[in-house]
Amino acid sequence: MSSITEIKYNTPSQPRQLRLDTTTACNARCLSCHRFLTKRKGEMPSELIEQILNDVSRWHKPLEEIVPVNYGEFFLRKDWFDIMRLISRKLPNTEITLATNGALVGQETVMKLCQIPQVRVINFSVDAYYDETYERFSGLPKETIPKIRQAMAQIKILRPDIRLKVSMVFDPVYQTDLERDLFEWYWQGAVTWNPMLRKPDVWVIAAASAGRPDKKPVHPVALPCRSIFDAIVIGYDGKISSCCFDAGFVIDLGYYKGNLLGSWHGPELTELRKTHNEHRRGEIELCRKCTFA
């Protein structure tokens, strides 16, 4: 066994993942979502999206992964397909990963998605097995679930190279152990087989506290957070984040000014990583209340 104090991360020359907060709007009201902890609401201007993509396209090494949404539902944007085509054109060597609740993924949407060759992963957030739990948890109608299965079947035919995942944010506050197990059983035939994990791509994700007033860590977390050494997020208004759960962008990391690598190696993120690597994350309010590491 190793000590927590031995765990430190190095900062890579560039982020592995870029998430664009293209919209904060969502048609679901998932109980575990951190979007409701903030009043930030907006849509990223198409001009800013193109500026960011032009910037990233000039990197010496291609960006590994881009996610064109952060906490919102990407398909609520009327120009979502235009954005996807723009990403495909500007970043031809970057994989696109999408997370969606699936409520708007019908046949036409699937046909368009499958035209984008860089789409490599689509994660459907379902979060429940029972219809009653699903409707209470997400605020979406139970008819969404068979709609998701139909979309996944269509994608498998049109683009068998796309990795299809389903996920459940699990917490005994929301679901029972039995529902978790049934969820894994129900979806195992619909998703993609993950050869690395040697199991179907059904993901049960522990609900991190991440500053939620209804969920606080019992034991203080000292481990440095993986997220701030791996990904960077640009808000709809250009505000910078590097946190999986900072929906309100409360950690001040400045604004995007046309040089994303400059922000990645800038003083704000450098100091944040230093604090985590020195196991002093408790000095940061959001990080002190978060269980993710």
Side-chain angles (χ1 to χ4, degrees), residues 2 6 8 11 15 21 30 48 62 66 68 86-87 102 115 123 149 184 226 228-229 235 243 268-269 289:
S2 62
E6 296 175 8
K8 302 179 189 295
T11 302
D21 192 26
C30 300
L48 177 56
I66 186 168
L86 186 65
I87 294 173
Q115 294 176 35
N123 177 52
R149 289 187 72 100
E184 292 183 298
R226 291 170 286 160
I228 60 176
F229 295 87
C243 172
E268 296 90 353
L269 253 175
K289 298 176 181 178

Side-chain angles (χ1 to χ4, degrees), residues 200-246:
D201 260 327
V202 181
W203 291 75
V204 175
I205 306 164
S209 63
R212 292 184 60 90
D214 59 337
K215 186 175 175 64
K216 298 178 181 179
V218 175
H219 187 276
V221 177
L223 283 168
C225 179
R226 291 170 286 160
S227 179
I228 60 176
F229 295 87
D230 178 75
I232 194 163
V233 186
I234 304 182
Y236 68 87
D237 55 356
K239 201 168 186 183
I240 295 288
S241 176
S242 190
C243 172
C244 301
F245 299 107
D246 189 7

